[in-house]
Every structure is written in structure tokens, then in C-alpha cells.
Amino acid sequence: MTATLIDDITGTGSDKNREAKGQGLANVVTGFFGGMAGCAKIGQSMVNMKSGGRTRLSTFVSGIFLLFLIIVLGDVVKQIPMGALVGVMIMVCISTFEWGSLKSLTRVLLSDVLVMIVTVVTVVATDNLSIGVLLSIFHTPMCGTNPQFMP
């Protein structure tokens, strides 16, 4: 999804399968270090784009900076109140939201949009991301958009 959004904004193309494989590999490796699996950082990518970053170097530098924050300045970062971090994240969400991305929903299969809606509504209703993801996975075979999950 991140690659699709960035491709739409920049008018370029990328290999979405390569992105998915890289993210999957990173999630597997992260488990060996006691980390938590994650997804591509749409917000960070948008901040990079709006700051003028257009190459892999911008992604690399932001990753190194985050690593520096965690490893070197971890004790300092722990002292930041959670409310301040939430406020920053809300402002990042507001400032980086790309309204043009809503137009891309017309080019996406209706079943895929329904899966996204089911996931978001379930997560908001239950306060549990895993339930939202599980429900969306079980919803996918009914939509017929993902043959590898078909019984």
C-alpha cells in the first residue's frame, strides 16, 4: 500500500511483490530479536516525500536516525510523556494525509475496500488489532480476491 501511494504521488512505478517480500522477511527476522512485526511506514514515507526525499537514501537516513534514537537516546526518549507522543502522531497524520489517495479507492476492487473497512471498524470497536486482522483474513475468502486463502 505504501508503494502504491508513493507511486501515485511521484508518477513512478515499483515492484509491489518485492515490497511485500521485503516486509515479510523483515517481520520474520525481527521476531528473532524479540521485536514485533510491523508494516511499511506510510507516515514516514509521506514525511520523506514532503521533505524532498525521493531516493532510497532518504529512507536509509530516517531508518538510521530511528535506530540512533532507540539505541543511543533510548533513556531520553523514555522520558517523553505518552500524551506528547500521541499529539505528535496526530499532527503527523493530519499534515501528511494525502486526500488524493481517496480517489484511488475507485480503482480498487470493492471487495478489497470492504476488507479495509471491516478491519478498521473491528479494530476501533474492539481495541484489538489482531481481531481486526483475523476477521479481515476470514472475510477475504468470501470476497474471492485472494485465491491462496480459498478452502
Side-chain angles (χ1 to χ4, degrees):
M1 190 164 75
T2 302
T4 302
L5 180 62
I6 299 300
D7 289 349
D8 285 347
I9 293 170
T10 60
T12 59
S14 65
D15 185 356
K16 311 309 183 276
N17 288 330
R18 184 175 176 192
E19 179 192 16
K21 288 175 187 174
Q23 187 65 49
L25 178 63
N27 284 339
V28 169
V29 170
T30 228
F32 289 113
F33 293 97
M36 184 173 71
C39 62
K41 299 184 314 182
I42 294 176
Q44 183 64 45
S45 298
M46 291 304 297
V47 168
N48 274 346
M49 293 291 302
K50 291 192 177 204
S51 300
R54 296 287 188 265
T55 66
R56 291 183 178 141
L57 179 62
S58 63
T59 304
F60 178 75
V61 170
S62 67
I64 292 297
F65 180 70
L66 288 173
L67 189 63
F68 176 78
L69 281 175
I70 292 167
I71 294 174
V72 177
L73 299 177
D75 291 333
V76 175
V77 173
K78 287 179 189 176
Q79 296 177 13
I80 300 172
M82 187 59 70
L85 294 175
V86 169
V88 168
M89 288 308 301
I90 289 172
M91 292 310 298
V92 167
C93 290
I94 291 170
S95 66
T96 61
F97 186 75
E98 186 64 43
W99 289 101
S101 66
L102 295 176
K103 293 177 186 175
S104 68
L105 288 177
T106 60
R107 296 187 307 247
V108 177
L109 292 173
L110 178 61
S111 56
D112 289 349
V113 174
L114 290 174
V115 168
M116 286 188 280
I117 291 170
V118 165
T119 304
V120 170
V121 169
T122 304
V123 170
V124 170
T126 64
D127 288 331
N128 192 328
L129 178 62
S130 60
I131 293 173
V133 170
L134 283 174
L135 194 60
S136 68
I137 288 172
F138 291 125
H139 178 16
T140 302
M142 293 184 284
C143 296
T145 59
N146 208 343
Q148 72 246 26
F149 289 115
M150 291 297 219

